[in-house]
Amino acid sequence: MKLRSYMVIGFLLSLLLSIVPFSGNLTNAATPTAVTPVSALSFTQGVTKTVLDNGLTVLTKEVHTAPVVSVQVWYKVGSRNEVKGENGISHQLEHLMFKGTTDRPVQFGRLFSALGSQFNAFTSYDETAYFGTVQRDKLEALLTLEADRMENSLVGTEQLKSEKRVVISELQGYENSPGYRLDRAVMRDAFPTRAYGLPVGGTKADVEKFTVEQVRNYYQTYYSPENATLVITGDFATEPVLKVVKAAYGKLPKRGKGYAAVHDARQALDNFSASSSIADASPATPVAKKAPIVLKQPGSAALLQAVYPLPDIKHPDVPAIDVMDAILTGGRSSRLYQALVESGLASSVSGGAAELIEPGWYDISATAAPGQELGKIAQVLQESLGKLQQQPVTTEELKRAKTQLQASYILGNQDITSQATQLAYNQTIAGDYHFIEKYLAAIAKVTAAQVQQVAKTYLNPAKQTIGFFEPTQPDGKPGTSSAGSGRTVENFSPGKPVDPAELAKYLPPATSATDSGKQSLPEEFTLNNGLRVLLLSDRSLPTINLSGQINAGTEFDGNQKAGLANLTAANLMNGTQTKNALTLAKTLEDRGADLSFSTSREGVSVSGQGLSENLPILIQTLADVLQNATFPADQLELSRQRALTSLKVQLDDPRGLGRQVFQQTIYPENHPFHSFPTFESLKSITRDDLLSFYQTHYRSDGTTIALVGDFDEVKVKALLNQAFDKWQATGKPPVLKISSVPLPQTSTRLNKVIPGKTEAVTYIGYNGISRKDPRYYAAVVLNQILGGDTLSSRLGTEVRDRQGLTYGIYSGFAAGINPGPFLIQMQTAPGDTQKAIASTLALLKQLRDQGITEAELNTAKRSITNSYPVDLANPSDVSSIILENSVLGLSRSEIREFPQQIQSVTMTQIQKVIEDLIKPENLVIVTAGPGDTLPKGS
């Protein structure tokens, strides 16, 4: 189930943040057992709505739980407003909004980064949104910048030329995904005459033809105050901030042009025809069922997607439709999961209702399990939908669905960024920021009869559009590879790094500094059995956030049994001595709680969420599966099939395959970081292997749990002691002796070909440092300058922003308990790959030979430390941070001292890190994707 996920469908400008509020599986939520309207947490309490004379709607909400503020500007324009020949113009304009203004002709990403803002933007069907979250003293600066680009953005020939190239790179990257290609074909067939049927990001053909006049006219028409909503949430005082808003935005004129009326007229016609088709969507209407769309293309897993027309967001059926969706796809206990995944037909299934300004659609997607036919999946899907239409849902199902839906909004609004997004979404799409409260009240009143009725009305087989993706590479294996000498055929001389002092003159002033030393520290203690616990009480919301780590990561796999750690973790929730898989799922889902496990190199991560009253259920379930998992043979086979499907998908994805080849080139075959699952290793793993791994590595003295939220410490300690009292470790824990890995003697260049791909992904790097390396903080600062941000770093400024060679380029140190790789990652069109690599190598040589400036050092340190309080404003993030610090052996006070550690980095330390860690002649360079990325003779 994907609740409100369509609010952010579309295209984020960068990968800095991937915020998708309220989307994903609804088991990531919690709620009271009784299904009553959510009133304990009023989403709109304290909101002030102000409409300026120029029509700008301003929503402000004071939230004083952390010293941060979020500013969002939502424009009521998206792909819905596009006409023939301009598909993607909303998305193209979103990119251009970062290219500077007449008064500030600099990349706005650099300005936001200098403020320490965690920022991004997205385009969707009905809206284009820009958001940033900063320390409270940067609020006025952020408001000033957003007001500037609402009126004065540079939309010129130079800006459009470079950003067109970036957008095309982005679109080509999506083309790598079979799921994207199937969705595009299905939506075009489902809505052949409506803008909703076109991809939000646009098409390469249309993007290539955009003119400066066309995009500028679009900007002048839709980026007008009366077509925008400004939302401010966080730690501020309303009246002074409104004065700032009126001063900055009140002078902006209305400037919408007349041709908007043409768009509105066309949309009204679409609205009428779509509504008529929905009204006719009765099972009694004899309409011929459409034949499936079939795509036979290079790919990995077989995919199914089905789409049904729905009404708009204000239609009274919407609450019942969403309850229906939760019953069908909301978690492991849902009907379609049980019918398709638990039966072994599908590896996954999901669903979501797109309820938008105009009539939307209901979407069901499934990935076939190995060897299963899409036709059979479609048959079982239709049988399940038919049953929902013919028989009322049970009281248990109805209650569970309502619980999940209502609870998801509480957990989805724990941080101020999400609260701002919720308000902006309600105001922009539903026309009323109070919409969510009316919606939740309506959810509580939905009856079984209403669910059955909407199933009959909207899940009409005659109105269904269904598509199949049938891969032409069923084995999932990549094509041939080729290697080069590592020498590029181009000589590239990068431009001079941007001077932060030059940038500073465009920055609005901040009001004052924020004291970051007041962060509360967690209480840390160890149970008698060695299990470590961190507790941090936060009574601001009735929620619990649980993070944990178990020393049972993939580093213990070995090459012959690669995938064993993953399969063990994946089977923990498949049954215990007292509960089977479905009972475990219902125990949590009936209360809206969630508990999940995921595996990394150095451990198994535990993630749990719920309302505070459901903390005992979370703890008891966690204790049960860690001590009493039984690993049923039938569930192991199902999870093995899902793992085999995932492996096929990974080998068909340039990111997944490229990272594997990169890592296996850096680390020798006997190194734990070299191991990756293969089809052979996954098939060889037995139930006895899982039991042995579980008994050996799942130990109380190798487990750490962090809890942040609304609880009483004394009661929690008693609960933990009771739940884990019988879990005793015997003997000494397994220890791996991991040898150091030298740098490659020379540069290594590898190219892995995956048929059917349009974009290449390149990884560049070598083995790096551990988290406790004394050079770590200097490396973080250096990385911020080099490639920590795709819009403001040296790599981003040169390779992405100036040359337009990539949609995204980043660098980073994967520093864990053991040294992980230093790597640079980028996505490029095949013809641009070599030039982008040459540019990157030249930038690394420039960094090594010339170093950095004092101004760059100070700007990077400020950016990191100014951004850090934003992380601490989200209880879920805090839970992860204190857990990670503990697992890495850092001080309990690291959460408070990190900014000081960054500020204390000196130029001498940076020079040392450059000398030690920047080695352009010793790089491993791996490119995966289309086969034409290497020049001839290389």
Side-chain angles (χ1 to χ4, degrees):
M1 151 136 218
K2 297 177 285 191
L3 176 63
R4 294 283 169 268
S5 59
Y6 290 94
M7 63 183 276
V8 289
I9 279 187
F11 301 84
L12 292 167
L13 175 66
S14 71
L15 303 179
L16 291 169
L17 301 172
S18 296
I19 298 177
V20 186
F22 329 124
S23 70
N25 191 309
L26 279 189
T27 56
N28 297 327
T31 196
T33 304
V35 183
T36 56
V38 176
S39 58
L41 182 67
S42 176
F43 296 103
T44 60
Q45 185 176 1
V47 174
T48 299
K49 179 180 178 181
T50 307
V51 180
L52 304 188
D53 292 341
N54 58 10
L56 178 68
T57 299
V58 183
L59 302 178
T60 56
K61 180 180 180 180
E62 296 183 28
V63 184
H64 301 289
T65 54
V68 296
V69 290
S70 185
V71 173
Q72 303 196 11
V73 181
W74 287 45
Y75 296 93
K76 194 174 180 179
V77 59
S79 60
R80 175 181 70 96
N81 302 89
E82 297 166 1
V83 295
K84 185 177 181 180
E86 63 177 29
N87 181 214
I89 194 170
S90 303
H91 175 225
Q92 180 70 76
L93 179 55
E94 175 214 317
H95 277 247
L96 289 168
M97 288 288 283
F98 284 84
K99 300 296 279 187
T101 65
T102 51
D103 291 336
R104 295 179 174 87
V106 292
Q107 166 58 251
F108 263 44
R110 295 185 68 84
L111 297 176
F112 292 137
S113 182
L115 291 172
S117 175
Q118 294 191 5
F119 67 96
N120 217 317
F122 67 82
T123 303
S124 191
Y125 297 98
D126 294 332
E127 75 275 15
T128 308
Y130 303 83
F131 49 97
T133 303
V134 294
Q135 289 189 86
R136 61 188 173 203
D137 59 294
K138 312 298 189 304
L139 172 57
E140 187 169 342
L142 208 53
L143 289 169
T144 301
L145 291 175
E146 288 294 356
D148 189 16
R149 64 175 174 174
M150 180 180 283
E151 170 71 11
N152 305 308
S153 282
L154 291 173
V155 183
T157 302
E158 181 183 343
Q159 292 84 9
L160 181 58
K161 182 180 178 181
S162 68
E163 217 56 34
K164 268 188 182 183
R165 197 168 183 174
V166 171
V167 167
I168 290 170
S169 172
E170 179 182 359
L171 297 179
Q172 296 284 85
Y174 296 126
E175 290 286 336
N176 281 348
S177 166
Y180 175 84
R181 301 199 299 271
L182 178 62
D183 177 75
R184 183 180 58 192
V186 169
M187 290 297 291
R188 281 179 176 173
D189 191 74
F191 302 105
T193 61
R194 301 182 60 208
Y196 282 164
L198 297 173
V200 172
T203 61
K204 181 181 178 182
D206 279 3
V207 170
E208 287 177 331
K209 296 174 186 175
F210 291 153
T211 65
V212 170
E213 182 182 14
Q214 187 180 15
V215 180
R216 189 179 292 153
N217 199 28
Y218 202 80
Y219 170 61
Q220 292 290 336
T221 299
Y222 290 107
Y223 279 55
S224 187
E226 76 274 19
N227 199 46
T229 297
L230 167 66
V231 180
I232 310 165
T233 56
D235 193 17
F236 63 90
T238 301
E239 289 306 316
V241 165
L242 283 177
K243 289 181 181 178
V244 173
V245 168
K246 289 172 183 176
Y249 292 84
K251 60 189 177 185
L252 303 182
K254 295 182 181 180
R255 64 176 196 274
K257 292 187 177 180
Y259 89 91
V262 177
H263 281 245
D264 292 341
R266 182 181 66 77
Q267 300 303 336
L269 181 62
D270 282 350
N271 211 347
F272 174 80
S273 61
S275 297
S276 298
S277 68
I278 290 170
D280 292 339
S282 166
T285 307
V287 182
K289 187 176 179 180
K290 290 195 291 186
I293 299 161
V294 180
L295 298 185
K296 294 185 178 182
Q297 299 172 357
S300 50
L303 308 174
L304 174 150
Q305 182 176 356
V307 166
Y308 304 82
L310 285 184
D312 63 76
I313 192 170
K314 294 182 181 180
H315 195 283
D317 283 347
V318 162
I321 290 170
D322 287 351
V323 172
M324 175 192 75
D325 175 38
I327 290 168
L328 286 173
T329 65
R332 187 168 189 168
S333 62
S334 66
R335 289 196 177 192
L336 291 185
Y337 191 97
Q338 289 293 313
L340 296 176
V341 180
E342 291 287 2
S343 69
L345 287 173
S347 291
S348 64
V349 64
S350 61
E355 294 139 349
L356 308 172
I357 291 176
E358 296 175 18
W361 61 92
Y362 185 59
D363 181 307
I364 298 173
S365 299
T367 301
Q372 297 295 335
E373 295 294 328
L374 291 172
K376 177 63 175 177
I377 294 175
Q379 178 188 338
V380 174
L381 168 63
Q382 191 54 56
E383 289 171 356
S384 298
L385 301 184
K387 185 177 179 181
L388 187 64
Q389 294 169 329
Q390 295 155 14
Q391 302 172 14
V393 298
T394 67
T395 302
E396 178 190 15
E397 287 178 301
L398 185 65
K399 184 178 179 181
R400 183 185 305 123
K402 292 181 181 183
T403 297
Q404 291 178 327
L405 283 165
Q406 293 190 3
S408 67
Y409 284 91
I410 296 179
L411 287 167
N413 284 280
Q414 290 189 87
D415 62 285
I416 63 161
T417 301
S418 297
Q419 291 182 42
T421 301
Q422 182 70 69
L423 291 169
Y425 175 73
N426 291 343
Q427 184 64 38
T428 303
I429 310 304
D432 180 8
Y433 72 90
H434 285 289
F435 173 80
I436 183 174
E437 293 183 345
K438 300 172 184 175
Y439 169 82
L440 291 173
I443 288 290
K445 297 176 182 177
V446 170
T447 65
Q450 288 173 321
V451 173
Q452 185 179 12
Q453 183 56 48
V454 295
K456 289 180 179 178
T457 302
Y458 301 109
L459 302 182
N460 182 352
K463 295 296 182 181
Q464 178 197 70
T465 303
I466 192 167
F468 298 158
F469 179 88
E470 298 178 354
T472 55
Q473 281 181 285
D475 60 359
K477 293 180 180 179
T480 58
S481 65
S482 57
S485 65
R487 295 187 178 273
T488 62
V489 296
E490 299 182 58
N491 289 318
F492 175 79
S493 179
K496 187 178 179 181
V498 176
D499 183 2
E502 178 70 15
L503 187 74
K505 67 184 183 183
Y506 299 118
L507 275 172
T511 55
S512 63
T514 299
D515 179 11
S516 59
K518 295 180 179 179
Q519 169 64 39
S520 299
L521 298 182
E523 179 183 359
E524 186 171 0
F525 58 93
T526 303
L527 301 184
N528 292 332
N529 60 7
L531 189 150
R532 288 188 297 166
V533 180
L534 299 111
L535 299 180
L536 185 58
S537 180
D538 178 357
R539 296 300 183 91
S540 60
L541 292 168
T543 59
I544 293 295
N545 295 275
L546 183 151
S547 297
Q549 178 153 314
I550 305 153
N551 297 339
T554 62
E555 62 186 5
F556 292 107
D557 274 357
N559 292 323
Q560 299 305 311
K561 295 292 182 180
L564 175 57
N566 269 311
L567 275 180
T568 304
N571 278 271
L572 289 174
M573 296 291 289
N574 282 338
T576 66
Q577 293 172 9
T578 57
K579 295 178 180 178
N580 63 20
L582 183 57
T583 303
L584 280 171
K586 288 182 176 180
T587 298
L588 296 169
E589 292 169 10
D590 284 352
R591 296 162 175 83
D594 172 65
L595 183 65
S596 61
F597 301 86
S598 60
T599 314
S600 65
R601 288 285 169 193
E602 296 185 334
V604 173
S605 296
V606 185
S607 179
Q609 280 192 316
L611 280 192
S612 49
E613 65 184 40
N614 290 322
L615 177 58
I617 294 294
L618 274 174
I619 295 297
Q620 289 159 10
T621 303
L622 175 62
D624 191 17
V625 299
L626 291 184
Q627 298 172 78
N628 305 311
T630 53
F631 303 99
D634 58 339
Q635 289 291 343
L636 169 58
E637 289 311 310
L638 290 175
S639 62
R640 189 198 313 276
Q641 295 304 309
R642 291 193 287 270
L644 290 168
T645 301
S646 296
L647 180 56
K648 284 186 179 182
V649 171
Q650 178 188 330
L651 295 178
D652 186 55
D653 184 343
R655 294 168 300 178
L657 177 63
R659 181 60 188 266
Q660 176 175 329
V661 174
F662 172 75
Q663 193 133 329
Q664 291 185 324
T665 306
I666 292 174
Y667 299 102
E669 192 170 342
N670 62 350
H671 194 283
F673 289 7
H674 181 93
S675 172
F676 280 83
T678 65
F679 295 110
E680 293 73 25
S681 69
L682 287 172
K683 291 175 181 177
S684 74
I685 294 170
T686 66
R687 180 174 178 271
D688 286 342
D689 291 328
L690 263 67
L691 284 168
S692 177
F693 190 89
Y694 176 68
Q695 292 161 359
T696 302
H697 298 286
Y698 281 71
R699 299 170 55 98
S700 55
D701 56 358
T703 301
T704 305
I705 296 171
L707 283 168
V708 175
D710 179 25
F711 55 74
D712 178 273
E713 290 91 337
V714 175
K715 292 181 180 178
V716 170
K717 289 178 183 178
L719 178 63
L720 290 168
N721 277 306
Q722 181 182 19
F724 291 100
D725 180 58
K726 295 179 180 178
W727 194 24
Q728 299 294 327
T730 57
K732 293 183 178 181
V735 177
L736 280 174
K737 185 177 181 181
I738 298 181
S739 57
S740 60
V741 176
L743 293 178
Q745 293 297 309
T746 59
S747 187
T748 303
R749 177 83 162 93
L750 298 172
N751 194 53
K752 301 295 286 187
V753 179
I754 309 178
K757 301 306 173 185
T758 53
E759 281 284 283
V761 174
T762 298
Y763 292 90
I764 302 173
Y766 36 65
N767 191 40
I769 59 175
S770 70
R771 176 60 177 86
K772 294 188 79 172
D773 190 296
R775 299 167 295 182
Y776 174 76
Y777 297 104
V780 169
V781 175
L782 176 65
N783 187 70
Q784 178 70 16
I785 296 167
L786 175 62
D789 183 318
T790 199
L791 294 183
S792 66
S793 64
R794 285 193 180 188
L795 288 170
T797 298
E798 183 65 46
V799 183
R800 183 202 188 279
D801 204 44
R802 190 176 76 81
Q803 298 187 70
L805 295 174
T806 176
Y807 169 54
I809 184 168
Y810 306 88
S811 64
F813 289 90
I817 297 171
N818 298 291
F822 162 72
L823 75 162
I824 297 168
Q825 177 186 350
M826 60 180 144
Q827 170 187 306
T828 53
D832 291 335
T833 300
Q834 193 60 24
K835 187 174 182 181
I837 292 172
S839 302
T840 299
L841 298 187
L843 283 163
L844 289 174
K845 291 174 183 175
Q846 181 190 65
L847 178 64
R848 185 194 59 189
D849 297 341
Q850 301 176 21
I852 66 169
T853 66
E854 197 76 37
E856 281 184 299
L857 172 62
N858 292 330
T859 298
K861 292 196 292 187
R862 280 196 302 270
S863 178
I864 295 168
T865 56
N866 286 342
S867 176
Y868 187 64
V870 179
D871 293 327
L872 302 184
N874 187 330
S876 179
D877 289 345
V878 171
S879 175
S880 298
I881 290 169
I882 63 175
L883 172 76
E884 182 179 5
N885 288 343
S886 178
V887 169
L888 291 169
L890 303 174
S891 164
R892 189 169 56 98
S893 59
E894 173 70 15
I895 190 171
R896 180 184 289 172
E897 295 171 355
F898 177 78
Q900 287 74 43
Q901 296 279 14
I902 293 295
Q903 285 291 1
S904 67
V905 171
T906 66
M907 182 63 80
T908 300
Q909 291 173 318
I910 291 288
Q911 291 167 343
K912 171 70 171 169
V913 166
I914 292 175
E915 180 183 346
D916 292 350
L917 303 180
I918 302 301
K919 305 288 186 182
E921 288 78 22
N922 304 94
L923 292 163
V924 170
I925 304 171
V926 174
T927 298
D932 50 353
T933 58
L934 276 177
K936 293 180 181 179
S938 65

